[in-house]
Amino acid sequence: MDHMPTLGAAFEAIVSSGIDSKFVLPPGLDLRVVSGFIDGLKNQLDCMLVCGEGVRYGKTDQYIYPIDQVLCVLEVKKTLSKAELMDGIGHLADVQRRFLRHFVERFNAGEIHDFEQARETYTKVTGSASPLTAKDLDAAPVDVRLLFSTLARQMYAPVTVLLAFDGYETERGLREALVDIVGVDIGKESNAVPDLLPSLISVGNLSLVKCNGQPYVALVGGDRWVAVASARHNAALVLLEVIWTKIDRFCGVRMPFGPEVDVETLECVLTAMGAREGDIEGWVWRSFSKSEKALNSRPAAVPWEPAKLGRGAISVTNLLAFRGGVIELDQDLRDYIKRTHDEDLEKIAAELVRSSAFRLRGNQLQVIPPAAFVVALPDGTGLAGPQREPLERWCADQQLQDTFMNLMVLG
């Protein structure tokens, strides 16, 4: 195995210390911060968040881990230039390629079959229900198939982070650098595809985040997926949320995210849409350019707001309350909603899923445990959220006359 040189130990120590102490890894999960190698890759990695024991590399303090024990990989740069950005994207793409080979093996062996969280993300992004079965997915249009397949793989993929302490000083500069790289890195061996791009690129207080539902989702009008968005504040918080989301889903524990108070303001950098040309399927990118003045004029975060629900959605929440937080999206319900509200049940389900208080599980619409909170307004519309306190605070600020409905999950 080749021993590839790393950056200075001082920078690796800063990053490792930041994750292990400042970002607080929960005890009892056997999570460790190490440097070393992923089995099957030759490049030494600056920093990995892993679960369980690895194999020590000789007499060094480096360790070798199989890809399925790796939650997060950090590539550390002292100063991020465009060349270093391209280099870091390439190194982290190798990690994702190793994961994809392993994912295919496990999927073909029947070891991976839970894609419910990807279905929720797909619904939030598109406003439509996702394919339910492999047969449905095979028959779907190419844009649906590529988007859902990517979101499904990203559920299980390790988080990859390119972290620099200096370099780009403007959000526009960092955005344009990534757009330029995506524009020239094309072909079968491209690193600039949604599966392979880093989960997060962080330079000082600037961030580029992949909006794959882990945890970020950004919405834009039209039928394109916002694949990458930028933020200019709270880079440490963005990194924390990305890592905690992975721990939450890898280990099956609830991380202490706290109540929703403010929401980061993300600005679209790249959208992606699946397409076919001849026998080749791939992604069509579209970039969005903004001046530094426009980017700088937006606030770091905006106050949290509940999801606004139409009359049809409120009617469905009433049914959920009567049926213990779970309803079947069957034909009888479709007919009832169409007859009473002249709306499509699938659109209403997507409306509820986007509130982050409800989820789709197969052909069921469910309250996300332990409870969903709904406000019924006098005009028959309403509001919803996953937590009571921010919803109550928002209603009080708006001086709304409301009626709370607490939808508990019944065992």
Side-chain angles (χ1 to χ4, degrees), residues 112-155:
I112 298 178
H113 46 75
D114 179 8
F115 300 111
E116 296 298 344
Q117 191 268 325
R119 292 191 174 98
E120 292 168 19
T121 301
Y122 180 90
T123 299
K124 288 180 180 179
V125 168
T126 66
S128 302
S130 72
L132 287 178
T133 66
K135 183 178 180 181
D136 292 340
L137 186 62
D138 289 341
V142 61
D143 57 326
V144 172
R145 187 168 64 256
L146 288 183
L147 175 56
F148 181 78
S149 298
T150 298
L151 295 175
R153 290 188 292 266
Q154 291 285 286
M155 279 180 59

Side-chain angles (χ1 to χ4, degrees), residues 277-320:
E277 185 173 325
D279 295 332
I280 300 175
E281 293 183 351
W283 295 94
V284 177
W285 293 102
R286 180 183 176 189
S287 62
F288 291 75
S289 181
K290 286 206 169 186
S291 68
E292 184 65 16
K293 181 178 179 180
L295 292 167
N296 194 36
S297 65
R298 75 188 196 276
V302 294
W304 177 86
E305 292 186 0
K308 296 175 175 61
L309 304 181
R311 292 179 176 85
I314 288 295
S315 179
V316 171
T317 63
N318 287 328
L319 293 173
L320 281 162

